[in-house]
């Protein structure tokens, strides 16, 4: 009863505060001249927003990030995950996001100014060209942050990982850092139109390097990274659940 009453008042107030804080920061990011400074402002904005709505965030394992370029892969459970990972990761990471977000008012221009790379997963030919471009960027020294599930569902559980992320890692010869975001589904996921209070935890584990250059190496890397993310994220395996449902 107390929890429902608390969220009855908390949800609309937190949403109003969040929008009121984010919008001015979006404008500041859009007009800021350099990418590094824009990303620094973005990290501060997210942490400040979470502070304003009373959401604590704990970040662990950042020492596991390699000094050189790499790919960070995290689970995806809510609308907040990109923002949360922005606040957790160093500014050298470029986020890979579905291209639908590019057309959102205010948000789209802000993401572009933050250096986000948009990908089109609905067009195989365009997706292949974008993947090759990302391989070249990583080979040239960029680090990427990717939600390998591609999207999230209202129901909890880790979904299958898309292959593109691990093709990039294998072809570019860079390690992948498994990461977990916990608490974001409750904060603003599972179909919730308004936020609910939650604490947020972000954790990075030891990097996993490719063991070859062929398709088998991509599959092995994907399986190893997904297993580690699954072990850390606190949600069940949707692939295992689907398999059990089919067997039943």
């Amino acid at each position: 009863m107390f929890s429902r009453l608390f969220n009855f008042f908390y949800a609309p107030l937190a949403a109003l505060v969040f929008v009121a804080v984010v919008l001015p920061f979006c404008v500041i990011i859009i007009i800021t001249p350099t990418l590094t400074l824009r990303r620094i402002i973005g990290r501060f904005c997210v942490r400040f927003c979470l502070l304003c709505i009373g959401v604590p965030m704990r970040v662990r394992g950042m020492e596991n990030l390699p000094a050189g370029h790499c790919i960070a892969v995290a689970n995806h459970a809510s609308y907040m995950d990109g923002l949360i990972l922005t606040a957790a990761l160093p500014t050298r990471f470029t986020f890979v996001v579905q291209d639908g977000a590019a057309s959102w008012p205010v948000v789209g221009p802000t993401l572009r100014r933050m250096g986000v790379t948009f990908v089109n997963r609905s067009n195989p030919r365009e997706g292949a060209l974008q993947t090759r471009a990302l391989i070249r960027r990583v080979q040239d020294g960029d680090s990427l942050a990717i939600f390998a599930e591609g999207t999230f569902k209202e129901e909890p559980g880790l979904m299958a990982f898309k292959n593109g992320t691990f093709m990039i890692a294998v072809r570019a010869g860079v390690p992948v850092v498994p990461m977990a975001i916990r608490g974001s589904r409750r904060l603003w996921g599972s179909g919730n139109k308004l936020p609910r209070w939650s604490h947020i935890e972000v954790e990075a584990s030891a990097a996993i390097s490719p063991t070859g250059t062929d398709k088998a190496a991509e599959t092995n890397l994907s399986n190893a990274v997904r297993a580690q993310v699954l072990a850390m994220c606190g949600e069940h395996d949707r692939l295992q659940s689907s398999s059990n449902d089919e067997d039943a």
Side-chain angles (χ1 to χ4, degrees):
M1 177 68 74
F2 175 77
S3 177
R4 287 198 297 270
L5 184 63
F6 173 80
N7 276 300
F8 177 80
F9 291 102
Y10 175 84
L13 179 61
L16 287 173
V17 171
F18 184 83
V19 172
V21 173
V22 165
L23 286 179
F25 272 105
C26 286
V27 174
I28 293 171
I29 289 169
I30 290 170
I31 65 175
T32 297
T34 66
L35 178 59
T36 299
L37 186 54
R38 290 194 291 270
R39 288 181 172 177
I40 291 172
I41 294 170
R43 293 184 79 217
F44 173 79
C45 168
V46 177
R47 289 179 176 269
F48 183 66
C49 284
L50 293 177
L51 178 65
C52 287
I53 62 175
V55 173
M57 185 174 80
R58 181 182 182 186
V59 180
R60 297 188 298 173
M62 291 300 107
E63 68 277 4
N64 289 316
L65 295 174
H69 49 302
C70 63
I71 299 176
V73 170
N75 59 306
H76 199 10
S78 84
Y79 301 106
M80 295 293 293
D81 292 333
L83 296 176
I84 291 168
L85 214 54
T86 295
L89 287 172
T91 57
R92 62 186 171 96
F93 281 84
T94 296
F95 282 73
V96 179
V97 177
Q98 290 193 64
D99 62 354
S103 61
W104 295 352
V106 182
V107 173
T110 303
L111 291 176
R112 284 193 288 270
R113 292 290 283 169
M114 289 284 287
V116 165
T117 295
F118 296 102
V119 295
N120 183 355
R121 293 191 173 96
S122 62
N123 185 321
R125 184 175 182 277
E126 186 174 346
L129 293 173
Q130 291 168 339
T131 298
R132 285 197 287 271
L134 287 170
I135 292 170
R136 290 193 294 271
R137 288 184 59 174
V138 175
Q139 288 173 331
D140 290 340
D142 279 5
S143 291
L144 304 179
I146 301 177
F147 297 105
E149 294 166 276
T151 186
F152 67 92
K153 302 290 186 182
E154 292 185 12
E155 303 82 10
L158 188 70
M159 297 187 295
F161 279 2
K162 305 292 185 182
N163 295 330
T165 300
F166 306 97
M167 179 189 298
I168 295 169
V170 168
R171 301 286 176 86
V174 298
V176 177
V177 179
M179 298 190 67
I181 301 172
R182 296 185 290 269
S184 66
R185 188 180 296 277
R186 174 172 172 78
L187 177 61
W188 213 333
S190 298
N192 296 323
K193 295 181 179 180
L194 294 174
R196 294 177 297 176
W197 186 88
S198 176
H199 66 278
I200 299 296
E201 295 180 348
V202 181
E203 183 176 3
S205 70
I208 301 175
S209 297
T211 56
T213 58
D214 56 6
K215 280 287 184 182
E218 296 172 15
T219 301
N220 292 338
L221 181 61
S222 176
N223 290 341
V225 171
R226 188 177 182 277
Q228 186 59 37
V229 173
L230 180 64
M232 296 190 299
C233 73
E235 296 197 349
H236 69 272
D237 188 347
R238 286 177 66 102
L239 293 184
Q240 187 65 42
S241 299
S242 299
S243 176
N244 290 340
D245 289 342
E246 290 175 3
D247 292 341

